[in-house]
Amino acid sequence: MRLHFILAFFLFFYSTNLIIDFGKLNGKDKDWILISDNIMGGVSKSKLEYLDDSFLLTGNISLDNYGGFSSIKTKYENFDLTDYKGVKIRFKSSKQKFAFTLEESKNWTLPNFKGDFNSTKENTWEIITIYFKDFKEYQIGEPTGNKLKTSSLKNIVRLGIITTDKKEGPFTIEVDYIEFFK
């Protein structure tokens, strides 16, 4: 009987996906921060707002002073994502391009990884799936030609969502949840 309980526990534990539900953060919203190009001299404007069931990132991208991005990122933590194959995101936006980001260093000059996604419908809830095997490596915003290595998934220190259109104008993204799946 005890073996059946232990087996059931392990099957449940190891088959469960990890979900970051922005409607159920219970004060954890302070673990996510807004980072825009103005940290490097850019002049894009962004606003982060937590709604009842989601977060809303809005703003206006400017390419002045080598700018052109806005993002929301977790504070630095340790994330071991080796048991997961990828990420699903439920979101809506105004037909713009974004990327889900993974960082394995606190040093912003070292490579990070991006999995691109975009909305296909104007302001309509969508669920996209990005497999880790499709994440590309970037260094200071430029692609290196490398892909995310499975070994890197053990040492992730920050998650994020970033605009990637690199064109001037308004943007909007609302995210309900982020789910890592096995």
Side-chain angles (χ1 to χ4, degrees):
M1 178 72 163
R2 181 181 162 146
L3 179 62
H4 288 260
F5 174 76
I6 292 170
L7 182 59
F9 172 78
F10 279 106
L11 287 173
F12 174 77
F13 181 77
Y14 286 106
S15 65
T16 304
N17 293 344
L18 170 64
I19 299 175
I20 301 168
D21 185 338
F22 289 97
K24 298 177 182 170
L25 285 177
N26 297 327
K28 290 286 205 175
D29 54 321
K30 293 180 179 47
D31 291 343
W32 291 79
I33 54 177
L34 175 67
I35 299 175
S36 293
D37 59 22
N38 27 40
I39 63 168
M40 302 169 11
V43 294
S44 296
K45 303 286 184 207
S46 303
K47 178 182 174 189
L48 174 61
E49 181 179 0
Y50 287 94
L51 308 174
D52 288 338
D53 291 322
S54 58
F55 78 74
L56 179 63
L57 179 62
T58 59
N60 194 49
I61 297 296
S62 171
L63 300 179
D64 292 346
N65 293 345
Y66 303 103
F69 76 89
S70 181
S71 67
I72 178 174
K73 295 185 178 197
T74 60
K75 291 184 178 178
Y76 291 111
E77 295 183 37
N78 293 316
F79 300 94
D80 182 350
L81 301 175
T82 53
D83 290 336
Y84 301 95
K85 292 183 181 176
V87 62
K88 291 182 182 183
I89 303 170
R90 184 170 188 261
F91 77 104
K92 63 180 174 178
S93 79
S94 48
K95 295 187 96 171
Q96 286 134 334
K97 296 177 183 175
F98 300 91
F100 188 77
T101 61
L102 302 172
E103 298 175 25
E104 62 178 336
S105 174
K106 293 179 180 181
N107 182 340
W108 67 272
T109 65
L110 293 179
N112 62 43
F113 307 95
K114 294 180 184 178
D116 295 323
F117 68 96
N118 62 292
S119 59
T120 59
K121 302 171 188 162
E122 185 92 16
N123 293 315
T124 301
W125 286 109
E126 300 177 63
I127 298 174
I128 56 95
T129 301
I130 313 167
Y131 289 90
F132 290 141
K133 66 180 179 63
D134 297 326
F135 274 59
K136 296 175 184 155
E137 184 182 75
Y138 287 77
Q139 189 162 9
I140 312 178
E142 296 296 323
T144 65
N146 297 324
K147 296 241 180 181
L148 173 65
K149 296 178 186 93
T150 304
S151 60
S152 294
L153 291 171
K154 185 166 186 62
N155 303 311
I156 302 300
V157 297
R158 185 179 252 184
L159 313 172
I161 294 176
I162 188 168
T163 60
T164 60
D165 271 343
K166 294 290 185 190
K167 65 180 183 180
E168 292 193 324
F171 73 92
T172 301
I173 185 168
E174 184 174 353
V175 176
D176 178 17
Y177 65 81
I178 297 167
E179 177 181 3
F180 296 94
F181 63 89
K182 294 185 176 188

